[in-house]
Amino acid sequence: MAGGKASARQKMINLMYLVFIAMMAMNMSKEVLSAFGLMDAKFAESNVVATEKNGALLADLETKAEEKKEEFAVPFNKATLVNTASDKFYKYIGTLKEDLLREGGYSIDPDTGKLPFEAMDKTDILDEMWFTGDRMTKKGQEVIATIEAYKKEIKDILGGDVKYMKAIERFDRRFSTAEVETKEGIKKSWLDYNFQGFPAIASYTKLTAMQNDVKMTEANMFNLFLGNSLDEAVSLKKYQAIVLADKSAFFAGEKFQGKVVLGKYANVTPTKLTVNGKEVNISEAIDSTGAAKLDFTVGNVGEQEIKGTFTFLEDGKPLDIPIVGNYVVVPRPNSATISADKMNVVYRGVTNPMTISFAGVPDNKVSASGSGLSKGSGTGKYNMVPTTGKEVTISVSATLDDGSKASDKKTFRIKDIPKPAGKLAGMSNGKLPKANVAAGTIMAELEDFDFDLPLTVTGFKVKVPGQPSITVSGNKMSGQAKAAINKARRGDDVTIFEIKSRSSGPAIKPASPIVIELAN
């Protein structure tokens, strides 16, 4: 095509063909690289799902081991060891993937959340890390040794029990590192055959697939332990001891009441199901074991009944089996119980609102008593107005569903209303003109006090430097007080003290003094 006697025009045409063929090859390569990337994403997604399912299987084995220790304790122990070994090997493969990305300079695109699949075409990353000539490097030998160590660990866990032989054979084939013979009859090591000379994305995907093999191994083993631990013979071993409680909730210290029956779950589809007077859709309610799922809004707080009918077809006739059960409804928690042990305080002479309840007991079966305590409006609402003494104890009693009584109590400290702060023009200390001081209104305020308790000033004293103290009635300056203020000089401090006030309830202590510097 590029012969020496070709014309210049023909040579140009030939060169264009070569460029065209090269471009086609380049595009095909990108498509292949992208395909590997998509495969890797699928394997990664499968690994996430498998991890969740394997966790559920292991939890199922743990539950069975607790309920039937004799049958499931050993299988659960084996499953735990398999999980530990597999998790360690899975993470090791993850480090190999991280090495490949780091050495190749690849990273996840923050916009797409994906690796640059089409750019991961380097073939020398693992070639240099794992191979030297026709031999493996120390890292390559480590990879093979780690795979073999994982295989040995799993086999040791399973042991020599004949019932595990088929599983071991499948496991051996899945993680075989034996030599591979090519189509040309050339024998290559497993690592060379699978990784040497491949694009980075292909090797990365193979490592993700190997992680998937680990997850599949876990799943197969867990299912094996679950299945092989059950005796399939037709005997009483097929039955279960089923505990039927008289109600679904009990209080601490209360006697458990119920019964134990020997039975098994019948995977028989009923023809009709009615619960609490309403017919339930059979196709949606019955699961694969023949059990009916109940889904309804519970009743009010207290013990409630479940009544209904299971209808089956037997000998061509409907057979009704009554459903009788009960459950206990407790109040839904809507707030946390938080208390400062040294801050259990009520204030003397004012109405202290309180909420009193007993966990799991309706309000109409709860009673509370204490000096100055009365029932308020609303569920669990009370009012406390303490009078004399330094402490008050509130006792609470409740009547439980079985008629028994429960009680509790709590003691609160009684404190007097705090001392108010004297205020003039909104300040206790400050600088004002004479006219503002003379015309101002004296106030007494309860600062940082959570109760709405307005105070009215009934009298006070005024002291101007160089003049005797003046006693004033009410909350305004008297003529005598104004005259004294007008005689004062600029910079003098006018002190207003012994500020007396009254409230609609308890007696109030004198307010703290007010000190005002005259501005003129």
Side-chain angles (χ1 to χ4, degrees):
M1 189 164 62
K5 294 183 180 180
S7 65
R9 179 176 179 278
Q10 184 61 48
K11 289 180 179 179
M12 181 63 70
I13 293 173
N14 291 345
L15 181 60
M16 289 175 63
Y17 272 113
L18 287 173
V19 172
F20 178 71
I21 292 171
M23 290 176 66
M24 289 182 62
M26 186 180 297
N27 289 335
M28 179 61 73
S29 175
K30 286 185 177 181
E31 291 176 2
V32 172
L33 294 174
S34 184
F36 271 112
L38 293 174
M39 289 174 60
D40 178 76
K42 290 291 184 183
F43 277 124
E45 184 179 355
S46 175
N47 290 345
V48 172
V49 174
T51 299
E52 294 177 355
K53 290 184 177 179
N54 290 351
L57 288 172
L58 188 61
D60 189 17
L61 271 167
E62 183 177 14
T63 300
K64 290 182 180 296
E66 293 172 353
E67 296 174 349
K68 300 182 179 181
K69 186 175 181 180
E70 192 170 320
E71 293 181 25
F72 288 96
V74 173
F76 172 62
N77 182 55
K78 289 181 180 292
T80 303
L81 295 174
V82 167
N83 176 252
T84 301
S86 297
D87 186 60
K88 180 175 66 176
F89 184 51
Y90 186 96
K91 289 178 179 176
Y92 173 78
I93 300 172
T95 64
L96 301 180
K97 294 166 66 176
E98 291 171 1
D99 291 343
L100 190 154
L101 295 179
R102 184 183 63 254
E103 295 299 322
Y106 305 122
S107 60
I108 295 175
D109 188 330
D111 295 328
T112 64
K114 299 179 180 179
L115 288 168
F117 306 140
E118 296 183 0
M120 296 176 69
D121 56 354
K122 295 180 183 179
T123 60
D124 57 348
I125 301 174
L126 293 187
D127 288 0
E128 293 177 1
M129 292 173 61
W130 292 1
F131 307 98
T132 173
D134 58 349
R135 294 179 293 110
M136 288 184 288
T137 62
K138 287 185 178 180
K139 186 64 177 179
Q141 294 171 5
E142 176 195 292
V143 173
I144 294 297
T146 305
I147 295 173
E148 292 300 323
Y150 173 61
K151 290 167 62 180
K152 182 178 184 304
E153 196 168 359
I154 295 298
K155 290 179 184 178
D156 289 345
I157 293 169
L158 295 180
D161 196 319
V162 66
K163 65 185 176 184
Y164 299 137
M165 294 307 295
K166 288 185 179 180
I168 292 174
E169 290 174 6
R170 288 194 297 270
F171 174 72
D172 256 334
R173 287 195 298 270
R174 180 177 285 132
F175 290 97
S176 173
T177 56
E179 283 188 337
V180 181
E181 187 173 341
T182 66
K183 292 181 180 179
E184 295 76 22
I186 301 173
K187 290 187 176 181
K188 289 187 175 184
S189 71
W190 178 86
L191 202 65
D192 184 352
Y193 182 81
N194 283 280
F195 293 95
Q196 190 166 21
F198 283 88
I201 185 60
S203 297
Y204 189 91
T205 301
K206 287 184 179 181
L207 290 172
T208 305
M210 186 181 294
Q211 287 180 316
N212 187 254
D213 286 338
V214 174
K215 292 299 177 184
M216 293 305 102
T217 295
E218 271 191 309
N220 291 342
M221 295 300 174
F222 293 171
N223 280 303
L224 177 68
F225 297 144
L226 283 166
N228 279 10
S229 297
L230 298 174
D231 187 355
E232 295 299 328
V234 179
S235 69
L236 285 178
K237 291 181 180 179
K238 291 285 288 179
Y239 287 78
Q240 291 179 302
I242 303 172
V243 177
L244 302 175
D246 283 356
K247 58 182 180 179
S248 59
F250 294 89
F251 292 105
E254 185 180 2
K255 287 186 177 181
F256 178 90
Q257 292 182 324
K259 53 187 135 183
V260 179
V261 298
L262 191 64
K264 61 181 180 179
Y265 297 102
N267 190 3
V268 181
T269 303
T271 58
K272 187 178 180 182
L273 172 60
T274 303
V275 178
N276 291 343
K278 295 182 179 179
E279 188 169 340
V280 179
N281 189 326
I282 292 295
S283 61
E284 296 177 357
I286 306 300
D287 65 15
S288 59
T289 67
K293 295 182 234 177
L294 301 181
D295 184 2
F296 59 88
T297 303
V298 300
N300 298 324
V301 172
E303 188 171 353
Q304 306 293 334
E305 289 186 337
I306 300 175
K307 292 184 178 180
T309 305
F310 236 158
T311 303
F312 295 87
L313 194 64
E314 184 171 284
D315 296 330
K317 298 178 181 179
L319 173 65
D320 291 337
I321 298 178
I323 299 171
V324 179
N326 55 16
Y327 61 95
V328 175
V329 181
V330 297
R332 180 189 294 273
N334 55 16
S335 63
T337 300
I338 304 171
S339 63
D341 291 343
K342 293 187 178 182
M343 295 298 289
N344 296 324
V345 172
V346 289
Y347 288 95
R348 194 186 318 276
V350 295
T351 301
N352 297 260
M354 289 188 161
T355 300
I356 300 174
S357 62
F358 218 103
V361 181
D363 186 55
N364 62 355
K365 293 186 178 181
V366 176
S367 62
S369 62
S371 178
L373 184 70
S374 61
K375 190 76 170 73
S377 59
T379 302
K381 299 300 180 182
Y382 289 80
N383 294 316
M384 162 64 71
V385 184
T387 53
T388 59
K390 294 183 178 180
E391 290 183 341
V392 60
T393 298
I394 297 177
S395 300
V396 184
S397 63
T399 303
L400 306 184
D401 290 333
D402 61 359
S404 61
K405 297 285 186 179
S407 61
D408 197 3
K409 62 182 179 179
K410 193 165 189 176
T411 299
F412 292 81
R413 290 181 295 141
I414 301 174
K415 294 184 70 174
D416 292 329
I417 303 299
K419 184 177 184 178
K423 296 286 182 75
L424 173 61
M427 63 178 72
S428 295
N429 291 278
K431 192 172 184 179
L432 289 172
K434 289 181 181 180
N436 291 46
V437 177
T441 301
I442 309 303
M443 306 287 290
E445 295 181 3
L446 292 168
E447 296 179 322
D448 298 324
F449 190 58
D450 294 331
F451 295 85
D452 184 15
L453 188 64
L455 303 180
T456 302
V457 172
T458 59
F460 57 91
K461 290 183 178 181
V462 180
K463 180 70 172 75
V464 177
Q467 301 183 55
S469 298
I470 301 167
T471 300
V472 180
S473 296
N475 60 2
K476 293 281 190 179
M477 295 291 178
S478 64
Q480 186 182 3
K482 290 179 181 179
I485 293 170
N486 288 330
K487 291 178 183 179
R489 294 174 297 177
R490 179 180 180 179
D492 282 349
D493 288 336
V494 176
T495 303
I496 303 165
F497 61 104
E498 289 189 21
I499 304 169
K500 299 177 181 179
S501 60
R502 67 169 183 267
S503 72
S504 58
I508 304 298
K509 297 176 182 178
S512 58
I514 304 169
V515 178
I516 301 296
E517 179 185 346
L518 297 179
N520 60 355

